[in-house]
Amino acid sequence: MLSWLSECFAAVFLAADPISLMPTPAVSLRLKRFRHRFGISAPRVVVRSVLPRQWVLFFSFLAAAVFAVVIWVFHFGGFLGGSQLADLKEQLRAQQGELALLRSSVGTGQNAVNMERAAQQQLVARIQELEAENSALKEDMLIFERLIPVAGQESLVRIESFRVLSEASTRYRYRLLLAYQAAQRGGGFRGVYEVVAAYRLPDGALRQLVLPGRKDGVVEVQHFLRREGVIELPAGATLISVEARLLQAGKLVTKQVANL
């Protein structure tokens, strides 16, 4: 619309006096600027409404009031709840004391239970020892009964008991009881005992171990005699059998194989 008015205005002036009113370069430049600013190619204009000052003041006052209320709640709320906080702390201390007391009582009860268990284990071990002693006494009574001399019977020596107990994978303990029954009083037996252990090596080879040796195996039996020792096998070896032998003057008198 503005460009059309400017063109009409220029035409009127030019019609009135074509020579005198001819546009000069300066006028043409101004007309181009005028058309560029107010014509079709003019830049877009954005119209914005301005917020009234009253609303700005209102929102500022409202924000300040909310901030003041929050500060008051945090400050005076904590001040008023201080006594309640102290009560809660006191209750917490009391409960912690009760908990410590309960823990100590539980620990005392646990100690009592442990002591009772230890006493029971000791009692069971003592009972087992008494049973072993009882069986040994019964065995000794049988031996003494056998050792009573009988008229017309020759002197007799024998291996009364031979046991082998395992202590480790390749370690064993043997216990030997020798008994001598004399035909008359004042007699005795003198000889050598041997313990022969047969075992198998990991490669399948068979070996024998003779204990305790010629010198250490010398025995003198008047009525009965106990001997014991340890059998140590090589690593990885397997025990097959153990035999006790009683010799006199290089001759075998009696022997017995232990039950493994």
Side-chain angles (χ1 to χ4, degrees):
M1 182 68 179
L2 294 175
S3 61
W4 180 75
L5 291 175
S6 60
E7 290 176 358
C8 292
F9 181 75
V12 171
F13 276 90
L14 290 174
D17 191 358
I19 297 175
S20 61
L21 296 178
M22 287 184 64
T24 62
V27 174
S28 299
L29 181 60
R30 290 180 181 178
L31 289 175
K32 288 181 180 181
R33 290 180 179 177
F34 184 81
R35 290 176 181 176
H36 179 70
R37 182 174 296 181
F38 299 102
I40 298 175
S41 61
R44 295 182 180 180
V45 179
V46 179
V47 179
R48 297 179 180 177
S49 60
V50 180
L51 188 65
R53 185 178 299 177
Q54 293 82 357
W55 287 104
V56 174
L57 295 176
F58 173 75
F59 284 118
S60 300
F61 177 77
L62 182 61
V66 171
F67 182 75
V69 169
V70 171
I71 295 298
W72 182 86
V73 168
F74 274 98
H75 179 71
F76 289 96
F79 178 76
L80 294 176
S83 59
Q84 296 179 357
L85 183 60
D87 294 340
L88 292 176
K89 289 182 179 180
E90 187 65 26
Q91 292 179 5
L92 180 60
R93 293 193 191 96
Q95 291 178 358
Q96 289 178 349
E98 293 179 359
L99 181 60
L101 182 61
L102 290 175
R103 286 179 177 175
S104 62
S105 62
V106 170
T108 304
Q110 187 67 28
N111 293 334
V113 171
N114 294 334
M115 293 176 62
E116 185 177 357
R117 288 180 180 176
Q120 289 180 356
Q121 292 177 357
Q122 293 178 358
L123 182 60
V124 170
R126 182 56 181 167
I127 291 174
Q128 292 177 353
E129 292 178 0
L130 292 176
E131 289 178 351
E133 292 178 0
N134 189 20
S135 61
L137 289 175
K138 289 181 179 180
E139 185 178 357
D140 293 342
M141 289 178 63
L142 293 175
I143 293 173
F144 281 117
E145 290 177 358
R146 293 176 183 177
L147 293 178
I148 298 175
V150 180
Q153 185 178 2
E154 297 181 357
S155 299
L156 179 64
V157 63
R158 61 181 177 271
I159 301 173
E160 193 67 34
S161 176
F162 182 49
R163 298 178 181 177
V164 177
L165 304 176
S166 176
E167 293 185 348
S169 59
T170 57
R171 179 184 175 91
Y172 300 86
R173 180 173 294 276
Y174 68 86
R175 293 176 181 175
L176 183 66
L177 177 61
L178 305 176
Y180 177 70
Q181 186 176 4
Q184 57 183 358
R185 295 181 179 180
F189 174 82
R190 180 180 176 83
V192 178
Y193 84 94
E194 293 179 349
V195 176
V196 181
Y199 59 92
R200 180 182 289 107
L201 294 175
D203 58 358
L206 298 178
R207 296 289 187 273
Q208 282 188 348
L209 179 64
V210 180
L211 299 171
R214 291 290 180 179
K215 296 181 179 180
D216 297 334
V218 177
V219 292
E220 293 184 0
V221 186
Q222 295 295 331
H223 297 289
F224 65 93
L225 182 67
R226 296 181 186 274
R227 286 290 184 269
E228 67 177 38
V230 177
I231 302 173
E232 288 281 357
L233 300 180
T238 303
L239 185 64
I240 299 175
S241 64
V242 183
E243 184 180 64
R245 300 173 182 176
L246 191 59
L247 301 95
Q248 188 177 32
K251 295 181 180 180
L252 181 64
V253 177
T254 183
K255 63 181 181 179
Q256 184 176 348
V257 179
N259 294 325
L260 300 179

